[in-house]
Amino acid sequence: MHSDTRAPLPLKIAAIGGLVFLLAPIALIFVYAFTTEEKSFQWPPPGLTLKWFGVTMGRADVWAALALSVKVAAISTCIALVLGTMTAAAVARSRFFGRETISLLVILPIALPGIITGISLRSAFSLLDIPFSTWTIVLGHATFCIVVVYNNAVARFRRTSGALIEAAMDLGADGLQTFRLVILPNIGTALLAGGMLAFALSFDEVIVTTFTAGNQSTLPIWMLEELIRPRQRPVTNVVAMLVVLVTVFPILAAYWLTKEGEHTEGAEK
């Protein structure tokens, strides 16, 4: 006999209620991006218009903040892919003293509150007389981006059979050929998913950026400043809608990539 795996009605109602609670504020952002009201959050909106999209496109400060956010996220993701993958390979494929301690230290930045990471980085930059620049933001973002890539890569390394690597070596492949022809095809989707998640996290990061940006403004920092001293509230909502879309799509893509890559060739049982 097969047991009924369908969720009971109260559980379904609770799940729907939870989704509504989480998504309703985001839906309001989308609605207010089209409102004709400029200075307040009036509900319901007195009217709808596409005017603010044109206004946003014409704002040079928005474009500058967007460019900085994309630049920082791209560089942070590249650093995270290299360092996160190398660390994952060492931890998953080697046995050495302090391995578990290294794994804990790599994961620690994402477990700590962002304000702790931000304060520590700002103190370090001040102590070393490092001026605030794009690179200080990148260093701050890389601390948690590495964790995302590491977690994806180490899980995939552990599911990939070491026999495949040994067989490639026995057949005469050198280290680079083994990585390119055997390892990379097995961990590629995990790295791509980790890179997408790292980009999304970096793109919408606020707290660490506040302590490492100086006078520069990424898109989330620009939004925060606009909320404090608003000029055109709907423009802020248009930008918020952009941030939501840019963040959600990489996360969904990463989910599907990791779901598709659950079974690797020669995976150890």
Side-chain angles (χ1 to χ4, degrees), residues 33-72:
F34 296 91
T35 183
T36 54
E37 174 58 46
E38 181 176 342
K39 297 182 179 179
S40 66
F41 292 108
Q42 181 180 342
W43 185 262
L48 300 176
T49 179
L50 295 174
K51 165 189 172 183
W52 303 113
F53 289 85
V55 173
T56 303
M57 294 288 288
R59 290 274 295 267
D61 54 339
V62 173
W63 285 106
L66 175 61
L68 181 60
S69 287
V70 171
K71 181 180 178 181
V72 168

Side-chain angles (χ1 to χ4, degrees), residues 23-33 43 237:
L23 298 179
I26 298 176
L28 287 176
I29 290 175
F30 281 66
V31 172
Y32 282 127
W43 185 262
N237 288 285

Side-chain angles (χ1 to χ4, degrees), residues 69-80:
S69 287
V70 171
K71 181 180 178 181
V72 168
I75 298 174
S76 300
T77 300
C78 290
I79 294 173

Side-chain angles (χ1 to χ4, degrees), residues 118-159:
I119 291 173
S120 62
L121 286 169
R122 190 179 184 93
S123 300
F125 295 151
S126 298
L127 185 64
L128 298 173
D129 291 326
I130 298 175
F132 293 114
S133 66
T134 301
W135 292 105
T136 57
I137 307 176
V138 167
L139 288 173
H141 288 201
T143 58
F144 55 82
C145 288
I146 289 173
V147 182
V148 177
V149 175
Y150 169 82
N151 284 338
N152 279 270
V154 77
R156 187 62 59 83
F157 271 120
R158 286 170 176 166
R159 287 203 301 268

